[in-house]
Amino acid sequence: MALRIGAYTRVSTDEQANVIEGSLDNQRHRMKSFVDLKNLQESAWGNIIDFYIEDGFSAKDTNRPAYQR
C-alpha cells in the first residue's frame, strides 16, 4: 500500500523565497524528486497527495495555517 504524503514547504522572508536553493519551487521539486526516487527503489512507495505551502510565516511557533492543516 502506497504512502499518502502531505509535503510541507515554507519560507519566512522574501529573501529566502528569491534564493534558488530555498525557494518554494525548489523545495517542491526536491520533495517530488525524493518521492520519485523512492518509488524507483520500491514499487508504489508513496504519492504526494497535497503540498502545504507557507509563504511568509516564521517557524518560531506552530501557529501557521498550512502547518495546522
Side-chain angles (χ1 to χ4, degrees):
M1 175 189 257
L3 296 172
R4 293 173 43 94
I5 301 165
Y8 179 79
T9 63
R10 183 192 66 79
V11 294
S12 59
T13 66
D14 286 337
E15 182 179 332
Q16 288 175 328
N18 292 323
V19 175
I20 292 173
E21 279 299 310
S23 72
L24 292 171
D25 287 339
N26 188 292
Q27 291 178 49
R28 182 181 177 122
H29 173 75
R30 290 173 67 186
M31 286 184 205
K32 185 177 178 327
S33 294
F34 175 80
V35 171
D36 290 346
L37 177 61
K38 292 298 284 183
N39 281 316
L40 287 173
Q41 294 171 340
E42 183 180 330
S43 179
W45 180 79
N47 298 301
I48 296 176
I49 302 304
D50 202 359
F51 281 89
Y52 301 92
I53 300 166
E54 213 76 86
D55 187 7
F57 286 85
S58 172
K60 68 180 177 182
D61 60 39
T62 58
N63 189 21
R64 304 183 302 267
Y67 182 83
Q68 292 299 318
R69 191 172 132 215

